[in-house]
Amino acid sequence: VQVDGTIQAPADPSQIKAADQWVKFLYIDHLTLSGKGVFDGQGATAYKQAQPAAAWSGKKGNVKILMNLGFMFVNNSMITGVTSKDSKNFHVMVLGCNNITFDGFTVTAPADSPNTDGIHMGRSTDVKILNTNIGTGDDCVSLGDGSRKITVQGVKCGPGHGISVGSLGRYTTEDNVEGVTVKNCTLTSTQNGVRIKTWPDAPGTITVSDIHFEDITMNNVLNPIIIDQEYCPWNACNKK
């Protein structure tokens, strides 16, 4: 799939119903998504309307706040050259994928855009994020449960909340995270640098292991290295 123009989501979130992303790739082997194109989520209206806690829940009232791109059960695939812009929610969701690479990918959104994680993944193995520029309002890269053999290399992050493992441990159904390398990355004017975050009073009993952070450059980063075992945004949890 080659995209060289700009594809725009509806500015009004209520125009797309019963979906989590407005562009999805499902159950594909050997996908290549390339070009100079832009997936424009037109999130400005949603940013103004959304309270952070509402954006974080993925809903405003009964209306879902859509992510830009979804890759579900996509294997042996490459995303290169294209840009995700102003997503209303996460820019990219990677779920149940194996051997998927983002190379020369771009994410852009304002620093104050709520819950606009750049690339979020879960239940996926051998995900590579290479030579990618991510500037957004939340985590540049976030790793959910079941993330294995993950490489984040040559990524420029900022603005944003850094490169995060988690949040984890909130549910009993979660799977271990193992084999993560974050290397040769530069973070500029971000809230956090490299972060591992788990919920307090959480029922999950998973492990996070074999994590490597190497050759990370941080410029004007508030919390360069943070391991937070009482992650509790907007006090929406039990801290016991």
Side-chain angles (χ1 to χ4, degrees), residues 107-122:
V107 170
T108 176
D112 60 354
S113 56
N115 206 40
T116 51
D117 289 38
I119 299 174
H120 177 77
M121 68 190 75

Side-chain angles (χ1 to χ4, degrees), residues 94-113:
V94 175
L95 181 66
C97 295
N98 184 57
N99 187 22
I100 183 169
T101 299
F102 295 82
D103 194 350
F105 183 62
T106 300
V107 170
T108 176
D112 60 354
S113 56

Side-chain angles (χ1 to χ4, degrees), residues 2-211:
Q2 182 170 328
V3 178
D4 286 321
T6 297
I7 304 176
Q8 288 185 318
D12 178 0
S14 67
Q15 285 190 260
I16 298 181
K17 294 181 171 62
D20 295 307
Q21 299 87 21
W22 61 277
V23 179
K24 286 188 184 186
F25 296 90
L26 305 169
Y27 301 101
I28 301 173
D29 198 11
H30 296 290
L31 166 73
T32 300
L33 171 61
S34 64
K36 305 186 211 59
V38 178
F39 294 90
D40 182 358
Q42 295 212 86
T45 305
Y47 304 153
K48 287 175 192 162
Q49 295 172 348
Q51 297 301 314
W56 176 73
S57 73
K59 280 192 171 183
K60 180 177 177 288
N62 290 321
V63 176
K64 279 190 176 178
I65 305 171
L66 291 172
M67 307 176 202
N68 269 7
L69 293 162
F71 300 91
M72 280 78 172
F73 310 102
V74 173
N75 299 323
N76 307 310
S77 294
M78 166 78 75
I79 296 91
T80 181
V82 294
T83 295
S84 175
K85 178 176 186 284
D86 293 346
S87 182
K88 296 178 180 71
N89 197 327
F90 290 9
H91 286 262
V92 177
M93 170 65 83
V94 175
L95 181 66
C97 295
N98 184 57
N99 187 22
I100 183 169
T101 299
F102 295 82
D103 194 350
F105 183 62
T106 300
V107 170
T108 176
D112 60 354
S113 56
N115 206 40
T116 51
D117 289 38
I119 299 174
H120 177 77
M121 68 190 75
R123 306 286 171 128
S124 296
T125 300
D126 197 10
V127 180
K128 300 180 189 72
I129 303 169
L130 311 173
N131 312 311
T132 286
N133 294 336
I134 303 176
T136 191
D138 209 301
D139 292 333
C140 290
V141 177
S142 54
L143 277 60
D145 77 292
S147 298
R148 289 181 166 88
K149 284 182 63 182
I150 309 301
T151 303
V152 180
Q153 186 167 340
V155 168
K156 292 181 179 175
C157 167
H161 292 181
I163 296 171
S164 294
V165 177
S167 54
L168 298 170
R170 196 177 184 195
Y171 305 105
T172 57
T173 53
E174 294 181 20
D175 200 0
N176 296 339
V177 173
E178 58 190 49
V180 177
T181 298
V182 180
K183 190 172 183 180
N184 293 333
C185 294
T186 301
L187 297 98
T188 303
S189 299
T190 56
Q191 185 185 82
N192 307 294
V194 292
R195 174 166 64 156
I196 300 172
K197 48 182 173 172
T198 58
W199 289 80
D201 191 40
T205 56
I206 63 170
T207 61
V208 180
S209 61
D210 193 20
I211 310 292

